[in-house]
Amino acid sequence: MPSFDIVSEFDKHEASNAVDQANREIQTRFDFKGVTASFELNGETVSLEAEVDFQLKQMLDVLRNKLIARGIDARCMDVQEPVLSGVRARQEVTLKQGLDQKEAKDIVKRIKESKLKVQAQIQGEKVRVTGKKRDDLQAVMALLRGEGGPDLALQFDNFRD
């Protein structure tokens, strides 16, 4: 029976490249001239540091654009509140990977509500969808990518026919 997996992941190497490019861009931008601002990637967390929170917002846009340019969906970003302390402003951005239980249940619920002839099973941090027809599986992909789909960075892999 045809099947595929629904996952939420990103390439860590591409994320590292995006952070490096963002660092280079803010060093050359005119509005950051004479300002100590930087990005730092620690595992799956990007730390933004600047002098004021307005600059953090600009840095966040730069990071988002660089991630998108490197093929990483911006919806995987979990932006924390900025921490202002005297002359420094810091903000953490976590790059989410994997589906948690609540998100996986929501995806299965949406698939069942669509009345398509497929079965969806939660397997750890992914959801496996199986069906008799390839067209039904493609309809599930279209459903999750469309307007009614979840606001998550989803990829579809391991497609078996």
Side-chain angles (χ1 to χ4, degrees):
M1 276 183 37
S3 68
F4 70 92
D5 294 334
I6 302 170
V7 295
S8 178
E9 0 179 90
F10 62 91
D11 187 358
K12 292 180 182 178
H13 186 69
E14 291 295 335
S16 174
N17 289 341
V19 170
D20 290 342
Q21 285 181 341
N23 263 325
R24 272 189 247 116
E25 181 173 327
I26 63 166
Q27 288 172 359
T28 59
R29 278 180 53 159
F30 180 75
D31 54 344
F32 280 93
K33 205 159 229 63
V35 175
T36 50
S38 65
F39 297 93
E40 186 178 331
L41 179 66
N42 296 321
E44 294 179 357
T45 304
V46 181
S47 302
L48 287 71
E49 190 171 323
E51 292 179 359
V52 292
D53 62 336
F54 176 74
Q55 292 169 339
L56 286 178
K57 291 177 186 172
Q58 291 176 322
M59 291 173 66
L60 197 58
D61 282 342
V62 169
L63 179 64
R64 184 174 288 118
N65 290 337
K66 295 299 177 186
L67 286 172
I68 291 170
R70 302 298 292 183
I72 298 174
D73 196 335
R75 291 179 290 187
C76 74
M77 294 174 53
D78 183 23
V79 181
Q80 308 297 322
E81 289 297 316
V83 177
L84 307 173
S85 59
V87 295
R88 303 300 296 156
R90 291 190 177 101
Q91 190 169 18
E92 300 284 319
V93 177
T94 306
L95 301 174
K96 294 188 298 185
Q97 188 157 294
L99 296 172
D100 63 12
Q101 200 68 20
K102 184 179 146 235
E103 293 167 340
K105 284 182 181 180
D106 181 50
I107 290 171
V108 170
K109 180 181 163 202
R110 288 173 192 260
I111 292 171
K112 286 186 179 180
E113 286 174 352
S114 72
K115 303 288 187 202
L116 292 168
K117 294 183 179 182
V118 295
Q119 293 82 39
Q121 303 168 334
I122 300 172
Q123 296 182 339
E125 291 188 342
K126 63 183 177 181
V127 176
R128 166 125 337 134
V129 179
T130 56
K132 289 184 180 178
K133 296 181 182 174
R134 180 183 199 149
D135 292 340
D136 291 339
L137 297 181
Q138 291 173 339
V140 170
M141 288 181 191
L143 170 79
L144 295 176
R145 282 188 186 128
E147 292 293 319
D151 190 29
L152 299 170
L154 298 177
Q155 292 84 34
F156 307 104
D157 67 350
N158 202 15
F159 193 91
R160 308 255 186 229
D161 203 10

